[in-house]
Amino acid sequence: MPHGVNFLLHSVALSIYRSFKIKYNDLITNLELEVMSYGAIELGQLNMQKGKFDVAFDILYDSAVNDQNDDAVFLMTKMCFDGNLSTEHMEKFYEFQNGHTSIGNGYALFNVGLMHERGLGKVPQSYKVAVEYYQRAVKEEVKDAYCNLGNIFALGLGMEQGVPRDVNMGVKLLAMGAEEGSRQCAYTLGSLYGKGEFIPVDLKKSFYFLSLAALQGHDQAKRVLHIFVHSHKEDYDAEMSAAEVTFGKIQNLRMLYKCL
């Protein structure tokens, strides 16, 4: 090959390499800037919003383990609750949380209870075990544990496994959770009173609890409430006012944070 052509090819190749290197360095710099501009929690939330749950889990798990970040644990709890964790991550999360239950970590207790209730990953499904963990989580003031525990008792979910149905206890737990800031409890109890399942129909109480859940941003409660007011033409002003008062108390006590 003539020397001139060889030199030209070499120059072109060098130019392409330099261009690629510049673009690669720019890409790495941009990625580094993105990581610097976001903390672990923000990056985790961003990936959750994009549906990249595997990426979100890895980021949040690292933050929970190395930084003991409670916000990271809560976000992983939400992914677990919503069914967005892979089997591998479910097992990893279970091992991590199970190791913290002995020190009275409320959300660790809740998560282990949830995994046993649903039989997630390789965790054996057991309502008896779930009840034990939920009861301990309630003592650690995890508001959403009231809902899961209340459902098991009120609906008799664990009857076949030896957990007796106790409707009164279930309703009591759901009401306590609702008053203390669990929108899941408020929605569940509002639905039970509206449908008359296991407890007598009480439209006034149904409207109150559904309104309380809706005020806390529960989307399904908002939809149900919209149908409710068109189906039941009664005066619910007193119940609406009561729900607003309770909602105000919840906000003042800052109990809205970290409720599923």
Side-chain angles (χ1 to χ4, degrees), residues 202-253:
D202 190 323
L203 296 181
K204 296 286 187 180
K205 289 183 178 179
S206 177
F207 184 89
Y208 166 77
F209 284 111
L210 288 173
S211 297
L212 185 57
L215 287 168
Q216 295 176 75
H218 197 291
D219 291 334
Q220 185 62 19
K222 293 177 183 178
R223 289 190 285 269
V224 172
L225 203 57
H226 179 74
I227 297 171
F228 185 102
V229 295
H230 285 84
S231 302
H232 306 289
K233 305 294 184 180
E234 297 183 39
D235 182 3
Y236 297 104
D237 288 348
E239 286 70 33
M240 186 71 239
S241 297
E244 289 174 339
V245 170
T246 302
F247 176 64
K249 291 178 180 178
I250 291 169
Q251 282 188 307
N252 290 336
L253 293 173

Side-chain angles (χ1 to χ4, degrees), residues 40 81 115 136 154 221:
F81 187 85
M115 291 177 186
R136 292 170 63 190

Side-chain angles (χ1 to χ4, degrees), residues 40 48 117 127 135 144 160:
M48 286 173 66
E117 180 187 354
Y127 284 105
Q135 288 174 332
D144 288 310
E160 293 183 0

Side-chain angles (χ1 to χ4, degrees), residues 141-158:
E141 300 185 348
V142 177
K143 310 308 176 185
D144 288 310
Y146 282 102
C147 185
N148 296 50
L149 190 58
N151 276 338
I152 291 174
F153 284 125
L155 307 183
L157 299 177

Side-chain angles (χ1 to χ4, degrees), residues 37-51:
S37 63
Y38 289 99
I41 300 305
E42 289 76 13
L43 275 177
Q45 289 175 317
L46 185 63
N47 280 285
M48 286 173 66
Q49 292 167 3
K50 292 180 177 180

Side-chain angles (χ1 to χ4, degrees), residues 60-132:
L60 296 170
Y61 184 84
D62 182 71
S63 180
V65 172
N66 295 319
D67 303 327
Q68 288 78 52
N69 193 309
D70 290 338
D71 291 334
V73 174
F74 173 72
L75 289 174
M76 287 189 290
T77 298
K78 180 166 178 55
M79 285 195 288
C80 178
F81 187 85
D82 293 340
N84 293 322
L85 292 185
S86 66
T87 301
E88 179 186 348
H89 283 160
M90 195 76 68
E91 292 170 8
K92 193 174 182 180
F93 190 40
Y94 176 80
E95 290 175 4
F96 170 68
Q97 291 289 262
N98 200 35
H100 286 74
T101 57
S102 61
I103 59 175
N105 184 309
Y107 263 98
L109 293 165
F110 175 81
N111 286 325
V112 173
L114 178 65
M115 291 177 186
H116 278 288
E117 180 187 354
R118 297 183 180 180
L120 299 175
K122 293 183 179 180
V123 180
Q125 199 273 338
S126 172
Y127 284 105
K128 279 189 175 181
V129 176
V131 166
E132 292 175 5

